[in-house]
Amino acid sequence: MYHMIVKRKVRALFEAVSRGDAGPVLRQFAPRLEHRLLGDSALGGTRHTLAATARWYERLYRLMPDIAFDLDTIEVAGGPWHTIVTATWEERNSGTDGVETRNRGLHVLTLRWGKATSLVICPDTAGLVATLDRLAARGVAEARAAPISD
């Protein structure tokens, strides 16, 4: 039963992000957190505060305002005191230039008593960098900005 509830909650979080609303994700984090996107890009890096994580989602929506996720699988392991969730997905967006791109990846989420302590986002980094390079070539300077880290 617990795993089913977690899957439903994770699905709802992806739906919120796909609607352009990072609020539910931000409210899910524990006071001590890690938010990481693999790779060296404007969206890469590691954040340990809610403020930096909120800035990251703001940047994500500026660069990919219509980002949306289609979930493939959600797997849940462990009990409420230490839960690991993996979610595989396909993401689509049209950037700020209207060119539709797709990418695949994996989220690894760690929960402790219902709060997210770690979120590691593992996209196809080559695909992400290609999208950001395309946006930068079309004048979107933030696509080549330094990662938001703290």
Side-chain angles (χ1 to χ4, degrees):
M1 179 69 144
Y2 170 71
H3 288 188
M4 183 181 72
I5 293 167
V6 171
K7 284 182 182 184
R8 190 173 354 162
K9 187 161 196 154
V10 168
R11 189 171 303 282
L13 293 173
F14 273 94
E15 289 169 358
V17 171
S18 295
R19 287 191 313 272
D21 181 9
V25 173
L26 294 170
R27 287 189 294 276
Q28 187 62 47
F29 279 107
R32 295 183 66 190
L33 66 99
E34 174 188 57
H35 180 275
R36 177 188 308 178
L37 188 136
L38 299 182
D40 184 24
S41 72
L43 292 173
T46 303
R47 289 139 298 280
H48 293 99
T49 66
L50 200 54
T53 303
R55 287 194 312 275
W56 183 89
Y57 279 99
E58 291 165 3
R59 177 179 284 176
L60 172 70
Y61 289 131
R62 283 191 301 273
L63 294 170
M64 301 174 184
D66 63 348
I67 191 168
F69 291 88
D70 295 316
L71 289 171
D72 295 325
T73 63
I74 301 173
E75 300 295 333
V76 180
W81 53 91
H82 186 226
T83 309
I84 303 293
V85 181
T86 59
T88 59
W89 45 262
E90 181 177 42
E91 167 264 315
R92 63 191 182 289
N93 75 81
S94 54
T96 56
D97 60 359
V99 176
E100 185 172 304
T101 60
R102 292 181 178 268
N103 200 346
R104 297 193 70 73
L106 166 78
H107 276 51
V108 180
L109 176 66
T110 303
L111 302 171
R112 292 194 188 273
W113 299 111
K115 289 302 224 177
T117 57
S118 175
L119 174 59
V120 179
I121 305 168
C122 311
D124 171 352
T125 54
L128 175 60
V129 168
T131 296
L132 294 173
D133 285 349
R134 186 189 78 239
L135 293 174
R138 294 189 175 165
V140 180
E142 191 171 26
R144 286 219 176 103
I148 296 170
S149 297
D150 61 353

